[in-house]
PDB file of all heavy atoms in Angstrom:
ATOM      1  N   LEU A   1     -14.196   4.903   1.997  1.00  0.00           N
ATOM      2  CA  LEU A   1     -13.516   3.994   2.885  1.00  0.00           C
ATOM      3  C   LEU A   1     -14.297   2.764   3.206  1.00  0.00           C
ATOM      4  O   LEU A   1     -13.725   1.702   3.460  1.00  0.00           O
ATOM      5  CB  LEU A   1     -13.112   4.712   4.173  1.00  0.00           C
ATOM      6  CG  LEU A   1     -11.740   5.376   4.179  1.00  0.00           C
ATOM      7  CD1 LEU A   1     -11.683   6.525   3.180  1.00  0.00           C
ATOM      8  CD2 LEU A   1     -11.411   5.869   5.580  1.00  0.00           C
ATOM      9  N   SER A   2     -15.611   2.834   3.192  1.00  0.00           N
ATOM     10  CA  SER A   2     -16.454   1.697   3.496  1.00  0.00           C
ATOM     11  C   SER A   2     -16.705   0.823   2.294  1.00  0.00           C
ATOM     12  O   SER A   2     -17.238  -0.292   2.447  1.00  0.00           O
ATOM     13  CB  SER A   2     -17.786   2.177   4.098  1.00  0.00           C
ATOM     14  OG  SER A   2     -18.532   2.932   3.167  1.00  0.00           O
ATOM     15  N   ARG A   3     -16.332   1.268   1.134  1.00  0.00           N
ATOM     16  CA  ARG A   3     -16.622   0.537  -0.099  1.00  0.00           C
ATOM     17  C   ARG A   3     -15.398   0.050  -0.844  1.00  0.00           C
ATOM     18  O   ARG A   3     -15.524  -0.676  -1.836  1.00  0.00           O
ATOM     19  CB  ARG A   3     -17.453   1.423  -1.045  1.00  0.00           C
ATOM     20  CG  ARG A   3     -18.818   1.771  -0.532  1.00  0.00           C
ATOM     21  CD  ARG A   3     -19.544   2.689  -1.491  1.00  0.00           C
ATOM     22  NE  ARG A   3     -20.894   3.015  -1.059  1.00  0.00           N
ATOM     23  CZ  ARG A   3     -21.973   2.343  -1.400  1.00  0.00           C
ATOM     24  NH1 ARG A   3     -21.884   1.302  -2.236  1.00  0.00           N
ATOM     25  NH2 ARG A   3     -23.159   2.710  -0.947  1.00  0.00           N
ATOM     26  N   ASN A   4     -14.219   0.447  -0.383  1.00  0.00           N
ATOM     27  CA  ASN A   4     -13.002   0.172  -1.151  1.00  0.00           C
ATOM     28  C   ASN A   4     -11.858  -0.288  -0.253  1.00  0.00           C
ATOM     29  O   ASN A   4     -11.733   0.121   0.901  1.00  0.00           O
ATOM     30  CB  ASN A   4     -12.558   1.435  -1.900  1.00  0.00           C
ATOM     31  CG  ASN A   4     -13.545   1.895  -2.932  1.00  0.00           C
ATOM     32  OD1 ASN A   4     -13.531   1.438  -4.063  1.00  0.00           O
ATOM     33  ND2 ASN A   4     -14.415   2.818  -2.535  1.00  0.00           N
ATOM     34  N   VAL A   5     -11.029  -1.130  -0.817  1.00  0.00           N
ATOM     35  CA  VAL A   5      -9.700  -1.353  -0.259  1.00  0.00           C
ATOM     36  C   VAL A   5      -8.912  -0.074  -0.457  1.00  0.00           C
ATOM     37  O   VAL A   5      -8.948   0.547  -1.538  1.00  0.00           O
ATOM     38  CB  VAL A   5      -9.002  -2.526  -0.946  1.00  0.00           C
ATOM     39  CG1 VAL A   5      -7.554  -2.663  -0.484  1.00  0.00           C
ATOM     40  CG2 VAL A   5      -9.776  -3.812  -0.690  1.00  0.00           C
ATOM     41  N   MET A   6      -8.203   0.354   0.557  1.00  0.00           N
ATOM     42  CA  MET A   6      -7.424   1.556   0.495  1.00  0.00           C
ATOM     43  C   MET A   6      -5.938   1.205   0.478  1.00  0.00           C
ATOM     44  O   MET A   6      -5.487   0.378   1.276  1.00  0.00           O
ATOM     45  CB  MET A   6      -7.710   2.478   1.678  1.00  0.00           C
ATOM     46  CG  MET A   6      -9.174   2.867   1.800  1.00  0.00           C
ATOM     47  SD  MET A   6      -9.819   3.729   0.322  1.00  0.00           S
ATOM     48  CE  MET A   6      -8.813   5.209   0.308  1.00  0.00           C
ATOM     49  N   ASN A   7      -5.221   1.845  -0.414  1.00  0.00           N
ATOM     50  CA  ASN A   7      -3.805   1.555  -0.600  1.00  0.00           C
ATOM     51  C   ASN A   7      -2.990   2.848  -0.634  1.00  0.00           C
ATOM     52  O   ASN A   7      -3.502   3.906  -0.992  1.00  0.00           O
ATOM     53  CB  ASN A   7      -3.559   0.799  -1.914  1.00  0.00           C
ATOM     54  CG  ASN A   7      -4.312  -0.497  -1.975  1.00  0.00           C
ATOM     55  OD1 ASN A   7      -4.150  -1.369  -1.129  1.00  0.00           O
ATOM     56  ND2 ASN A   7      -5.114  -0.656  -3.039  1.00  0.00           N
ATOM     57  N   TRP A   8      -1.740   2.707  -0.267  1.00  0.00           N
ATOM     58  CA  TRP A   8      -0.751   3.715  -0.543  1.00  0.00           C
ATOM     59  C   TRP A   8       0.243   3.185  -1.573  1.00  0.00           C
ATOM     60  O   TRP A   8       0.786   2.073  -1.373  1.00  0.00           O
ATOM     61  CB  TRP A   8      -0.004   4.131   0.722  1.00  0.00           C
ATOM     62  CG  TRP A   8      -0.798   5.008   1.637  1.00  0.00           C
ATOM     63  CD1 TRP A   8      -1.497   4.637   2.714  1.00  0.00           C
ATOM     64  CD2 TRP A   8      -0.938   6.435   1.533  1.00  0.00           C
ATOM     65  NE1 TRP A   8      -2.091   5.719   3.322  1.00  0.00           N
ATOM     66  CE2 TRP A   8      -1.761   6.837   2.603  1.00  0.00           C
ATOM     67  CE3 TRP A   8      -0.464   7.396   0.643  1.00  0.00           C
ATOM     68  CZ2 TRP A   8      -2.108   8.174   2.810  1.00  0.00           C
ATOM     69  CZ3 TRP A   8      -0.819   8.724   0.842  1.00  0.00           C
ATOM     70  CH2 TRP A   8      -1.619   9.103   1.926  1.00  0.00           C
ATOM     71  N   TYR A   9       0.455   3.922  -2.618  1.00  0.00           N
ATOM     72  CA  TYR A   9       1.469   3.631  -3.610  1.00  0.00           C
ATOM     73  C   TYR A   9       2.504   4.734  -3.554  1.00  0.00           C
ATOM     74  O   TYR A   9       2.305   5.805  -3.001  1.00  0.00           O
ATOM     75  CB  TYR A   9       0.872   3.593  -5.023  1.00  0.00           C
ATOM     76  CG  TYR A   9       0.108   2.348  -5.358  1.00  0.00           C
ATOM     77  CD1 TYR A   9      -1.204   2.192  -4.951  1.00  0.00           C
ATOM     78  CD2 TYR A   9       0.673   1.342  -6.141  1.00  0.00           C
ATOM     79  CE1 TYR A   9      -1.928   1.050  -5.290  1.00  0.00           C
ATOM     80  CE2 TYR A   9      -0.035   0.214  -6.491  1.00  0.00           C
ATOM     81  CZ  TYR A   9      -1.334   0.076  -6.045  1.00  0.00           C
ATOM     82  OH  TYR A   9      -2.055  -1.052  -6.411  1.00  0.00           O
ATOM     83  N   ARG A  10       3.660   4.456  -4.161  1.00  0.00           N
ATOM     84  CA  ARG A  10       4.658   5.484  -4.310  1.00  0.00           C
ATOM     85  C   ARG A  10       5.381   5.287  -5.633  1.00  0.00           C
ATOM     86  O   ARG A  10       5.425   4.195  -6.179  1.00  0.00           O
ATOM     87  CB  ARG A  10       5.678   5.479  -3.164  1.00  0.00           C
ATOM     88  CG  ARG A  10       6.581   4.268  -3.113  1.00  0.00           C
ATOM     89  CD  ARG A  10       7.453   4.298  -1.878  1.00  0.00           C
ATOM     90  NE  ARG A  10       8.355   3.166  -1.799  1.00  0.00           N
ATOM     91  CZ  ARG A  10       9.119   2.893  -0.739  1.00  0.00           C
ATOM     92  NH1 ARG A  10       9.099   3.681   0.337  1.00  0.00           N
ATOM     93  NH2 ARG A  10       9.921   1.826  -0.775  1.00  0.00           N
ATOM     94  N   GLN A  11       5.905   6.376  -6.136  1.00  0.00           N
ATOM     95  CA  GLN A  11       6.677   6.326  -7.375  1.00  0.00           C
ATOM     96  C   GLN A  11       7.881   7.250  -7.243  1.00  0.00           C
ATOM     97  O   GLN A  11       7.726   8.464  -7.070  1.00  0.00           O
ATOM     98  CB  GLN A  11       5.833   6.733  -8.572  1.00  0.00           C
ATOM     99  CG  GLN A  11       6.543   6.517  -9.909  1.00  0.00           C
ATOM    100  CD  GLN A  11       5.588   6.571 -11.081  1.00  0.00           C
ATOM    101  OE1 GLN A  11       4.484   7.125 -10.996  1.00  0.00           O
ATOM    102  NE2 GLN A  11       6.019   6.002 -12.204  1.00  0.00           N
ATOM    103  N   ALA A  12       9.044   6.649  -7.331  1.00  0.00           N
ATOM    104  CA  ALA A  12      10.273   7.418  -7.297  1.00  0.00           C
ATOM    105  C   ALA A  12      10.700   7.718  -8.724  1.00  0.00           C
ATOM    106  O   ALA A  12      10.294   7.029  -9.660  1.00  0.00           O
ATOM    107  CB  ALA A  12      11.379   6.618  -6.573  1.00  0.00           C
ATOM    108  N   PRO A  13      11.523   8.758  -8.928  1.00  0.00           N
ATOM    109  CA  PRO A  13      11.978   9.099 -10.267  1.00  0.00           C
ATOM    110  C   PRO A  13      12.637   7.903 -10.942  1.00  0.00           C
ATOM    111  O   PRO A  13      13.505   7.269 -10.369  1.00  0.00           O
ATOM    112  CB  PRO A  13      12.967  10.232 -10.030  1.00  0.00           C
ATOM    113  CG  PRO A  13      12.530  10.853  -8.739  1.00  0.00           C
ATOM    114  CD  PRO A  13      12.018   9.701  -7.909  1.00  0.00           C
ATOM    115  N   GLY A  14      12.200   7.631 -12.159  1.00  0.00           N
ATOM    116  CA  GLY A  14      12.774   6.545 -12.956  1.00  0.00           C
ATOM    117  C   GLY A  14      12.344   5.159 -12.558  1.00  0.00           C
ATOM    118  O   GLY A  14      12.863   4.190 -13.088  1.00  0.00           O
ATOM    119  N   LYS A  15      11.411   5.058 -11.623  1.00  0.00           N
ATOM    120  CA  LYS A  15      10.959   3.757 -11.153  1.00  0.00           C
ATOM    121  C   LYS A  15       9.450   3.600 -11.390  1.00  0.00           C
ATOM    122  O   LYS A  15       8.740   4.566 -11.568  1.00  0.00           O
ATOM    123  CB  LYS A  15      11.260   3.575  -9.670  1.00  0.00           C
ATOM    124  CG  LYS A  15      12.752   3.570  -9.327  1.00  0.00           C
ATOM    125  CD  LYS A  15      12.965   3.280  -7.858  1.00  0.00           C
ATOM    126  CE  LYS A  15      14.433   3.225  -7.527  1.00  0.00           C
ATOM    127  NZ  LYS A  15      14.644   2.978  -6.064  1.00  0.00           N
ATOM    128  N   GLN A  16       9.015   2.357 -11.397  1.00  0.00           N
ATOM    129  CA  GLN A  16       7.608   2.064 -11.547  1.00  0.00           C
ATOM    130  C   GLN A  16       6.863   2.376 -10.261  1.00  0.00           C
ATOM    131  O   GLN A  16       7.437   2.376  -9.172  1.00  0.00           O
ATOM    132  CB  GLN A  16       7.400   0.600 -11.921  1.00  0.00           C
ATOM    133  CG  GLN A  16       7.929   0.209 -13.297  1.00  0.00           C
ATOM    134  CD  GLN A  16       7.615  -1.241 -13.628  1.00  0.00           C
ATOM    135  OE1 GLN A  16       7.594  -2.101 -12.758  1.00  0.00           O
ATOM    136  NE2 GLN A  16       7.362  -1.485 -14.909  1.00  0.00           N
ATOM    137  N   ARG A  17       5.582   2.651 -10.421  1.00  0.00           N
ATOM    138  CA  ARG A  17       4.733   2.835  -9.255  1.00  0.00           C
ATOM    139  C   ARG A  17       4.711   1.549  -8.433  1.00  0.00           C
ATOM    140  O   ARG A  17       4.554   0.451  -8.962  1.00  0.00           O
ATOM    141  CB  ARG A  17       3.315   3.202  -9.711  1.00  0.00           C
ATOM    142  CG  ARG A  17       2.380   3.571  -8.588  1.00  0.00           C
ATOM    143  CD  ARG A  17       1.028   3.991  -9.158  1.00  0.00           C
ATOM    144  NE  ARG A  17       0.444   2.936  -9.932  1.00  0.00           N
ATOM    145  CZ  ARG A  17      -0.667   3.048 -10.667  1.00  0.00           C
ATOM    146  NH1 ARG A  17      -1.277   4.233 -10.735  1.00  0.00           N
ATOM    147  NH2 ARG A  17      -1.146   2.029 -11.358  1.00  0.00           N
ATOM    148  N   GLU A  18       4.840   1.690  -7.135  1.00  0.00           N
ATOM    149  CA  GLU A  18       4.991   0.556  -6.235  1.00  0.00           C
ATOM    150  C   GLU A  18       3.930   0.594  -5.147  1.00  0.00           C
ATOM    151  O   GLU A  18       3.679   1.637  -4.534  1.00  0.00           O
ATOM    152  CB  GLU A  18       6.386   0.622  -5.584  1.00  0.00           C
ATOM    153  CG  GLU A  18       6.628  -0.389  -4.497  1.00  0.00           C
ATOM    154  CD  GLU A  18       7.906  -0.144  -3.758  1.00  0.00           C
ATOM    155  OE1 GLU A  18       8.406   1.032  -3.768  1.00  0.00           O
ATOM    156  OE2 GLU A  18       8.463  -1.074  -3.158  1.00  0.00           O
ATOM    157  N   LEU A  19       3.301  -0.541  -4.942  1.00  0.00           N
ATOM    158  CA  LEU A  19       2.352  -0.667  -3.838  1.00  0.00           C
ATOM    159  C   LEU A  19       3.135  -0.717  -2.524  1.00  0.00           C
ATOM    160  O   LEU A  19       3.992  -1.574  -2.332  1.00  0.00           O
ATOM    161  CB  LEU A  19       1.496  -1.908  -3.980  1.00  0.00           C
ATOM    162  CG  LEU A  19       0.520  -2.223  -2.845  1.00  0.00           C
ATOM    163  CD1 LEU A  19      -0.502  -1.106  -2.693  1.00  0.00           C
ATOM    164  CD2 LEU A  19      -0.172  -3.565  -3.088  1.00  0.00           C
ATOM    165  N   VAL A  20       2.845   0.198  -1.639  1.00  0.00           N
ATOM    166  CA  VAL A  20       3.544   0.309  -0.363  1.00  0.00           C
ATOM    167  C   VAL A  20       2.777  -0.405   0.747  1.00  0.00           C
ATOM    168  O   VAL A  20       3.352  -1.180   1.519  1.00  0.00           O
ATOM    169  CB  VAL A  20       3.769   1.770   0.010  1.00  0.00           C
ATOM    170  CG1 VAL A  20       4.410   1.903   1.383  1.00  0.00           C
ATOM    171  CG2 VAL A  20       4.610   2.463  -1.049  1.00  0.00           C
ATOM    172  N   ALA A  21       1.512  -0.120   0.848  1.00  0.00           N
ATOM    173  CA  ALA A  21       0.685  -0.681   1.923  1.00  0.00           C
ATOM    174  C   ALA A  21      -0.759  -0.648   1.517  1.00  0.00           C
ATOM    175  O   ALA A  21      -1.179   0.191   0.715  1.00  0.00           O
ATOM    176  CB  ALA A  21       0.898   0.091   3.232  1.00  0.00           C
ATOM    177  N   GLY A  22      -1.536  -1.536   2.062  1.00  0.00           N
ATOM    178  CA  GLY A  22      -2.957  -1.562   1.817  1.00  0.00           C
ATOM    179  C   GLY A  22      -3.702  -2.022   3.035  1.00  0.00           C
ATOM    180  O   GLY A  22      -3.155  -2.723   3.900  1.00  0.00           O
ATOM    181  N   VAL A  23      -4.949  -1.619   3.139  1.00  0.00           N
ATOM    182  CA  VAL A  23      -5.829  -2.058   4.220  1.00  0.00           C
ATOM    183  C   VAL A  23      -7.172  -2.453   3.621  1.00  0.00           C
ATOM    184  O   VAL A  23      -7.756  -1.708   2.817  1.00  0.00           O
ATOM    185  CB  VAL A  23      -5.963  -0.968   5.321  1.00  0.00           C
ATOM    186  CG1 VAL A  23      -6.518   0.324   4.756  1.00  0.00           C
ATOM    187  CG2 VAL A  23      -6.815  -1.490   6.468  1.00  0.00           C
ATOM    188  N   THR A  24      -7.665  -3.623   3.995  1.00  0.00           N
ATOM    189  CA  THR A  24      -8.882  -4.149   3.445  1.00  0.00           C
ATOM    190  C   THR A  24     -10.095  -3.566   4.150  1.00  0.00           C
ATOM    191  O   THR A  24      -9.986  -2.857   5.139  1.00  0.00           O
ATOM    192  CB  THR A  24      -8.925  -5.677   3.565  1.00  0.00           C
ATOM    193  OG1 THR A  24      -9.033  -6.038   4.934  1.00  0.00           O
ATOM    194  CG2 THR A  24      -7.672  -6.309   2.973  1.00  0.00           C
ATOM    195  N   LEU A  25     -11.283  -3.902   3.637  1.00  0.00           N
ATOM    196  CA  LEU A  25     -12.505  -3.471   4.270  1.00  0.00           C
ATOM    197  C   LEU A  25     -12.617  -3.969   5.713  1.00  0.00           C
ATOM    198  O   LEU A  25     -13.188  -3.299   6.561  1.00  0.00           O
ATOM    199  CB  LEU A  25     -13.729  -3.946   3.475  1.00  0.00           C
ATOM    200  CG  LEU A  25     -13.898  -3.346   2.081  1.00  0.00           C
ATOM    201  CD1 LEU A  25     -15.018  -4.024   1.324  1.00  0.00           C
ATOM    202  CD2 LEU A  25     -14.135  -1.851   2.170  1.00  0.00           C
ATOM    203  N   ALA A  26     -12.028  -5.123   5.959  1.00  0.00           N
ATOM    204  CA  ALA A  26     -12.052  -5.709   7.297  1.00  0.00           C
ATOM    205  C   ALA A  26     -10.958  -5.171   8.203  1.00  0.00           C
ATOM    206  O   ALA A  26     -10.907  -5.546   9.373  1.00  0.00           O
ATOM    207  CB  ALA A  26     -11.966  -7.241   7.223  1.00  0.00           C
ATOM    208  N   GLY A  27     -10.100  -4.339   7.656  1.00  0.00           N
ATOM    209  CA  GLY A  27      -9.038  -3.744   8.449  1.00  0.00           C
ATOM    210  C   GLY A  27      -7.730  -4.480   8.426  1.00  0.00           C
ATOM    211  O   GLY A  27      -6.814  -4.115   9.170  1.00  0.00           O
ATOM    212  N   ARG A  28      -7.602  -5.506   7.588  1.00  0.00           N
ATOM    213  CA  ARG A  28      -6.348  -6.216   7.483  1.00  0.00           C
ATOM    214  C   ARG A  28      -5.346  -5.408   6.699  1.00  0.00           C
ATOM    215  O   ARG A  28      -5.634  -4.937   5.589  1.00  0.00           O
ATOM    216  CB  ARG A  28      -6.560  -7.576   6.803  1.00  0.00           C
ATOM    217  CG  ARG A  28      -5.333  -8.459   6.774  1.00  0.00           C
ATOM    218  CD  ARG A  28      -5.604  -9.717   5.987  1.00  0.00           C
ATOM    219  NE  ARG A  28      -6.667 -10.502   6.605  1.00  0.00           N
ATOM    220  CZ  ARG A  28      -6.469 -11.440   7.527  1.00  0.00           C
ATOM    221  NH1 ARG A  28      -5.247 -11.708   7.939  1.00  0.00           N
ATOM    222  NH2 ARG A  28      -7.502 -12.104   8.027  1.00  0.00           N
ATOM    223  N   ALA A  29      -4.160  -5.245   7.228  1.00  0.00           N
ATOM    224  CA  ALA A  29      -3.116  -4.457   6.605  1.00  0.00           C
ATOM    225  C   ALA A  29      -2.078  -5.334   5.924  1.00  0.00           C
ATOM    226  O   ALA A  29      -1.748  -6.423   6.430  1.00  0.00           O
ATOM    227  CB  ALA A  29      -2.444  -3.555   7.640  1.00  0.00           C
ATOM    228  N   ASN A  30      -1.569  -4.866   4.821  1.00  0.00           N
ATOM    229  CA  ASN A  30      -0.513  -5.533   4.100  1.00  0.00           C
ATOM    230  C   ASN A  30       0.542  -4.525   3.708  1.00  0.00           C
ATOM    231  O   ASN A  30       0.237  -3.352   3.465  1.00  0.00           O
ATOM    232  CB  ASN A  30      -1.064  -6.212   2.840  1.00  0.00           C
ATOM    233  CG  ASN A  30      -2.117  -7.255   3.150  1.00  0.00           C
ATOM    234  OD1 ASN A  30      -1.792  -8.351   3.614  1.00  0.00           O
ATOM    235  ND2 ASN A  30      -3.381  -6.933   2.900  1.00  0.00           N
ATOM    236  N   TYR A  31       1.796  -5.004   3.636  1.00  0.00           N
ATOM    237  CA  TYR A  31       2.895  -4.100   3.385  1.00  0.00           C
ATOM    238  C   TYR A  31       3.891  -4.689   2.401  1.00  0.00           C
ATOM    239  O   TYR A  31       4.089  -5.912   2.346  1.00  0.00           O
ATOM    240  CB  TYR A  31       3.665  -3.776   4.690  1.00  0.00           C
ATOM    241  CG  TYR A  31       2.809  -3.157   5.730  1.00  0.00           C
ATOM    242  CD1 TYR A  31       2.203  -3.946   6.707  1.00  0.00           C
ATOM    243  CD2 TYR A  31       2.565  -1.797   5.743  1.00  0.00           C
ATOM    244  CE1 TYR A  31       1.383  -3.378   7.686  1.00  0.00           C
ATOM    245  CE2 TYR A  31       1.775  -1.211   6.701  1.00  0.00           C
ATOM    246  CZ  TYR A  31       1.174  -2.020   7.681  1.00  0.00           C
ATOM    247  OH  TYR A  31       0.380  -1.465   8.649  1.00  0.00           O
ATOM    248  N   ALA A  32       4.481  -3.820   1.617  1.00  0.00           N
ATOM    249  CA  ALA A  32       5.605  -4.248   0.798  1.00  0.00           C
ATOM    250  C   ALA A  32       6.771  -4.581   1.704  1.00  0.00           C
ATOM    251  O   ALA A  32       6.947  -3.994   2.783  1.00  0.00           O
ATOM    252  CB  ALA A  32       5.994  -3.140  -0.179  1.00  0.00           C
ATOM    253  N   ASP A  33       7.588  -5.521   1.265  1.00  0.00           N
ATOM    254  CA  ASP A  33       8.709  -5.945   2.085  1.00  0.00           C
ATOM    255  C   ASP A  33       9.625  -4.768   2.421  1.00  0.00           C
ATOM    256  O   ASP A  33      10.223  -4.721   3.504  1.00  0.00           O
ATOM    257  CB  ASP A  33       9.501  -7.037   1.372  1.00  0.00           C
ATOM    258  CG  ASP A  33       8.771  -8.357   1.341  1.00  0.00           C
ATOM    259  OD1 ASP A  33       7.849  -8.540   2.165  1.00  0.00           O
ATOM    260  OD2 ASP A  33       9.155  -9.217   0.516  1.00  0.00           O
ATOM    261  N   ALA A  34       9.748  -3.817   1.497  1.00  0.00           N
ATOM    262  CA  ALA A  34      10.676  -2.717   1.686  1.00  0.00           C
ATOM    263  C   ALA A  34      10.279  -1.807   2.851  1.00  0.00           C
ATOM    264  O   ALA A  34      11.141  -1.105   3.382  1.00  0.00           O
ATOM    265  CB  ALA A  34      10.788  -1.902   0.400  1.00  0.00           C
ATOM    266  N   VAL A  35       9.013  -1.814   3.225  1.00  0.00           N
ATOM    267  CA  VAL A  35       8.563  -0.920   4.286  1.00  0.00           C
ATOM    268  C   VAL A  35       8.028  -1.667   5.496  1.00  0.00           C
ATOM    269  O   VAL A  35       7.647  -1.017   6.500  1.00  0.00           O
ATOM    270  CB  VAL A  35       7.488   0.057   3.777  1.00  0.00           C
ATOM    271  CG1 VAL A  35       7.986   0.793   2.540  1.00  0.00           C
ATOM    272  CG2 VAL A  35       6.178  -0.687   3.463  1.00  0.00           C
ATOM    273  N   LYS A  36       7.982  -2.976   5.421  1.00  0.00           N
ATOM    274  CA  LYS A  36       7.452  -3.766   6.513  1.00  0.00           C
ATOM    275  C   LYS A  36       8.204  -3.475   7.808  1.00  0.00           C
ATOM    276  O   LYS A  36       9.440  -3.376   7.802  1.00  0.00           O
ATOM    277  CB  LYS A  36       7.513  -5.244   6.157  1.00  0.00           C
ATOM    278  CG  LYS A  36       6.710  -6.150   7.040  1.00  0.00           C
ATOM    279  CD  LYS A  36       6.641  -7.566   6.467  1.00  0.00           C
ATOM    280  CE  LYS A  36       5.918  -7.555   5.115  1.00  0.00           C
ATOM    281  NZ  LYS A  36       5.811  -8.916   4.543  1.00  0.00           N
ATOM    282  N   ASP A  37       7.503  -3.344   8.892  1.00  0.00           N
ATOM    283  CA  ASP A  37       8.053  -3.048  10.219  1.00  0.00           C
ATOM    284  C   ASP A  37       8.437  -1.598  10.393  1.00  0.00           C
ATOM    285  O   ASP A  37       8.879  -1.201  11.492  1.00  0.00           O
ATOM    286  CB  ASP A  37       9.227  -3.953  10.586  1.00  0.00           C
ATOM    287  CG  ASP A  37       8.849  -5.429  10.581  1.00  0.00           C
ATOM    288  OD1 ASP A  37       7.748  -5.758  11.002  1.00  0.00           O
ATOM    289  OD2 ASP A  37       9.691  -6.232  10.154  1.00  0.00           O
ATOM    290  N   ARG A  38       8.305  -0.788   9.350  1.00  0.00           N
ATOM    291  CA  ARG A  38       8.592   0.637   9.451  1.00  0.00           C
ATOM    292  C   ARG A  38       7.376   1.505   9.223  1.00  0.00           C
ATOM    293  O   ARG A  38       7.237   2.564   9.822  1.00  0.00           O
ATOM    294  CB  ARG A  38       9.698   1.046   8.476  1.00  0.00           C
ATOM    295  CG  ARG A  38      11.026   0.338   8.717  1.00  0.00           C
ATOM    296  CD  ARG A  38      12.128   0.954   7.848  1.00  0.00           C
ATOM    297  NE  ARG A  38      11.862   0.786   6.427  1.00  0.00           N
ATOM    298  CZ  ARG A  38      11.693   1.789   5.566  1.00  0.00           C
ATOM    299  NH1 ARG A  38      11.746   3.066   5.972  1.00  0.00           N
ATOM    300  NH2 ARG A  38      11.455   1.542   4.288  1.00  0.00           N
TER     301      ARG A  38
END
């Protein structure tokens, strides 16, 4: 956790792997539009 950006991905059947959310070393969070605010 101290050396890497951490991400959550997901993959639904028949779909490509999708980046869902990530958090940087500094704690900045980013979200895919599909999950933003949820």
Side-chain angles (χ1 to χ4, degrees):
L1 270 65
S2 64
R3 295 177 178 268
N4 297 273
V5 173
M6 302 302 297
N7 301 303
W8 285 97
Y9 284 80
R10 68 185 181 187
Q11 187 165 21
K15 297 183 178 180
Q16 293 183 326
R17 186 178 59 188
E18 173 190 23
L19 177 62
V20 176
V23 59
T24 69
L25 294 173
R28 185 185 299 270
N30 299 285
Y31 302 95
D33 288 342
V35 306
K36 194 169 298 181
D37 301 322
R38 298 189 297 118

